[in-house]
Structures are given as structure tokens and as C-alpha cells.
């Protein structure tokens, strides 16, 4: 991943982007359409992270394990 001077993070090749955030902090995802989605760390409970998002309802959000089960 590459961080630009504006604080933007871009994936480089097939390397996943890793971002450190604390509760109350967010990352913004810009879709190719120009829509912005905010992903906020709401809380930490042991080894679990509670996330919140303002993603539009027309965009599907699915936990990874549910998507994998659906593909099987």
C-alpha cells in the first residue's frame, strides 16, 4: 500500500491495505462512481471489532464467512 501526502491510501498490486484505527476513528472508501462510504470503528471488545457504516442500502454488505458459505 502507498500513502500519499493527502493521507490517501492506495493498494499496490495484490497487497491488501492495512489501516490502524481506534474507536471513533474512520476510514473513507471512494467507489468508482464517486460515492464515499465511511467505515467507523465503534468499539473494541476483546478480539472483536464493532464497525459501523453509512453505506447506501443498495450496496450489499456481507461478512466474509457468509459470502464464502454462499459460494459453496
Amino acid at each position: 500500500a502507498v500513502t500519499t501526502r493527502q493521507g490517501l491510501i492506495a493498494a499496490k498490486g495484490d497487497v491488501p491495505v492495512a489501516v490502524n484505527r481506534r474507536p471513533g476513528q474512520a476510514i473513507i472508501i471512494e467507489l468508482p462512481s464517486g460515492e464515499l462510504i465511511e467505515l467507523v470503528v465503534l468499539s473494541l471488545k476483546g478480539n472483536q471489532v464493532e464497525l459501523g457504516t453509512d453505506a447506501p442500502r443498495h450496496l450489499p454488505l456481507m461478512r466474509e464467512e457468509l459470502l464464502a458459505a454462499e459460494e459453496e
Side-chain angles (χ1 to χ4, degrees), residues 22-58:
R22 293 188 172 117
Q25 294 181 327
I27 61 168
I28 306 296
I29 301 167
E30 183 175 3
L31 301 177
S33 66
E35 284 184 276
L36 300 177
I37 296 175
E38 182 178 36
L39 189 62
V40 181
V41 177
L42 299 175
S43 66
L44 301 173
K45 297 174 186 172
N47 64 351
Q48 291 186 327
V49 178
E50 183 179 22
L51 301 173
T53 184
D54 65 353
R57 295 206 183 267
H58 71 272

Side-chain angles (χ1 to χ4, degrees), residues 1-4 7-12 17:
V2 177
T3 303
T4 67
L8 301 175
I9 300 171
K12 190 172 184 180
V17 175

